[in-house]
Amino acid sequence: MSTPKKVVPLRRVGTHGPDVSVLSLGSWHTYDRMAFEDSVAMVRHAVDLGINLFDVGVYGFPGHPPVFTDVLFSAIVRAAGISRDEYLLSAKLWLEPYPEMSLREQLEKALFRVGTDRADLVILGDIRRDDLDLNQLAVDLAELEVDGIIGCWGVNNWSATAIKTIRDHALQAGSPGPQIAQLKYSPCRRSIPDGAPFAQVFAEGITMQASDILEGGILAGNKKPGREIGRDPGGVREKIVEAADGIAAVAAELEVTPAQLCVAFTLTHPSVSTVLFGATKMQQLVDNVNALELVERVGAERLRELLAPFWVDADVVNPEGP
């Protein structure tokens, strides 16, 4: 079987980050829900299509059943014959145990589980506490950058103010600061990425990784997901369920799947460097990659017009962010 043509283009992360594929593959409870041989085939195909960024986090929590999706990823790339220089690893760092557990200790454990000695990108988890020392956090991240354990770093669902604050501390510590903001973004959740506060963040060179683009599968047609999905800022999930039918109707008119349409929408944001999605089937991967053709065929402006009626968190969620 011939190797497919690389069709997924690259965009730069921030001002100091690597060139990453505009589509990136996540691992939140994905590989541990797949047959191993299927996951190997899917990841191999993703790399062959040009996807080079893989978000691989440690998603187990005390008191919950253990998960091994990150450990499986290390076996998947070996079985697929993918060398370390063929992909970029994005790892998650959680702020709940910090600083009692240092970033270095947490990262070393995560890298051990995934079978490598460095992360090209790390994403800091949500801020869910009031006593976080952003200055010390920036200093610790700068040390990891100097040591070469991480290439660059970003944040997940932080407010625009918190991003600007840690960026100032990071510059003082000799680091270029956060390069990417991972934000919930979909035709339904737009208030934060499309708002004025984050327009200023993006103007400073920080780019966006669009995440939770299908609302846990709801916008792809699965209105009652049987697994854990992300938080619901603004309490608008029921409205998103209602909007799913309208989005599906637009997709049908364009002769694409609802998932393809949502992926295509997120690619229209001018500050997006990569769109993160999970897949547990080869067809999901192929469909999402085909969203690139949809953007080219319909055009960014028209796609945004078609999906404007489904923006449900307008005037509900503060565009400043959490």
Side-chain angles (χ1 to χ4, degrees), residues 3 41 110 138 151-152 155 195 200 208 216 231 257 284 293-294:
T3 300
C152 64
V155 299
Q200 296 177 3
M208 177 167 72
R231 292 192 296 164
T257 67
Q284 292 173 336
E293 184 276 332
L294 177 60

Side-chain angles (χ1 to χ4, degrees), residues 68 71 90 93 95 123-124 131 135 145-146 177-178 185 189 192 195-196 210 213 225 247 260 266 287-288 294 299 317:
F68 299 100
V71 178
S90 176
L93 290 177
L95 299 176
I123 302 292
L124 303 177
D131 61 344
N135 181 51
E145 287 176 307
V146 169
Y185 194 50
R189 292 193 189 274
I192 293 174
I213 62 172
I247 291 173
Q260 278 176 285
T266 60
D287 284 347
N288 290 351
L294 177 60
V317 172

Side-chain angles (χ1 to χ4, degrees), residues 13-15 154-155 163-164 167 176-181 198 200-208 271 273:
V13 168
T15 56
V155 299
I163 291 174
K164 292 175 183 177
R167 182 176 183 270
Q179 297 299 301
I180 198 165
F198 267 90
Q200 296 177 3
V201 169
F202 299 142
E204 294 176 352
I206 295 171
T207 55
M208 177 167 72
S271 294
S273 54

Side-chain angles (χ1 to χ4, degrees), residues 3 51 55 70 173 182 317:
T3 300
I51 292 177
D55 181 298
D70 55 328
Q182 189 181 90
V317 172

Side-chain angles (χ1 to χ4, degrees), residues 92-103:
K92 281 287 198 306
L93 290 177
W94 309 107
L95 299 176
E96 287 80 1
Y98 174 84
E100 287 73 23
M101 177 183 285
S102 69
L103 295 183

Side-chain angles (χ1 to χ4, degrees), residues 38-270:
D38 292 342
S39 61
V40 171
M42 186 182 72
V43 170
R44 176 72 263 177
H45 193 60
V47 171
D48 290 341
L49 289 172
I51 292 177
N52 72 351
L53 181 62
F54 292 84
D55 181 298
V56 184
V58 181
Y59 295 112
F61 297 96
H64 290 258
V67 293
F68 299 100
T69 196
D70 55 328
V71 178
L72 285 168
F73 180 79
S74 67
I76 289 167
V77 292
R78 289 196 303 272
I82 299 169
S83 61
R84 183 62 179 86
D85 60 1
E86 289 185 90
Y87 71 92
L88 300 171
L89 177 72
S90 176
K92 281 287 198 306
L93 290 177
W94 309 107
L95 299 176
E96 287 80 1
Y98 174 84
E100 287 73 23
M101 177 183 285
S102 69
L103 295 183
R104 186 182 299 271
E105 179 184 358
Q106 188 179 157
L107 182 60
E108 286 176 348
K109 289 182 177 180
L111 294 176
F112 176 73
R113 288 172 62 91
V114 83
T116 188
D117 60 358
R118 73 181 190 281
D120 302 284
L121 172 66
V122 295
I123 302 292
L124 303 177
D126 299 31
I127 297 179
R128 297 173 177 170
R129 44 191 285 201
D130 297 326
D131 61 344
L132 187 64
D133 186 339
L134 293 181
N135 181 51
Q136 187 59 53
L137 189 62
V139 170
D140 291 348
L141 287 161
E143 291 178 355
L144 295 176
E145 287 176 307
V146 169
D147 291 348
I149 301 175
I150 66 174
C152 64
W153 54 277
V155 299
N156 178 65
N157 294 327
W158 284 31
S159 70
T161 296
I163 291 174
K164 292 175 183 177
T165 300
I166 198 169
R167 182 176 183 270
D168 290 342
H169 290 315
L171 293 174
Q172 289 292 321
S175 164
Q179 297 299 301
I180 198 165
Q182 189 181 90
L183 299 173
K184 291 175 179 289
Y185 194 50
S186 73
C188 299
R189 292 193 189 274
R190 296 177 49 182
S191 290
I192 293 174
D194 286 353
F198 267 90
Q200 296 177 3
V201 169
F202 299 142
E204 294 176 352
I206 295 171
T207 55
M208 177 167 72
Q209 182 177 52
S211 69
D212 207 9
I213 62 172
L214 299 176
E215 196 71 19
I218 292 171
L219 294 180
N222 181 12
K223 293 186 179 181
K224 294 183 178 180
R227 62 180 181 85
E228 180 185 1
I229 60 177
R231 292 192 296 164
D232 180 19
V236 297
R237 186 154 289 148
E238 285 304 313
K239 291 184 178 180
I240 292 176
V241 171
E242 295 171 4
D245 287 339
I247 291 173
V250 174
E253 291 177 6
L254 296 173
E255 299 182 324
V256 297
T257 67
Q260 278 176 285
L261 181 57
C262 290
V263 173
F265 169 81
T266 60
L267 287 167
T268 66
H269 193 290

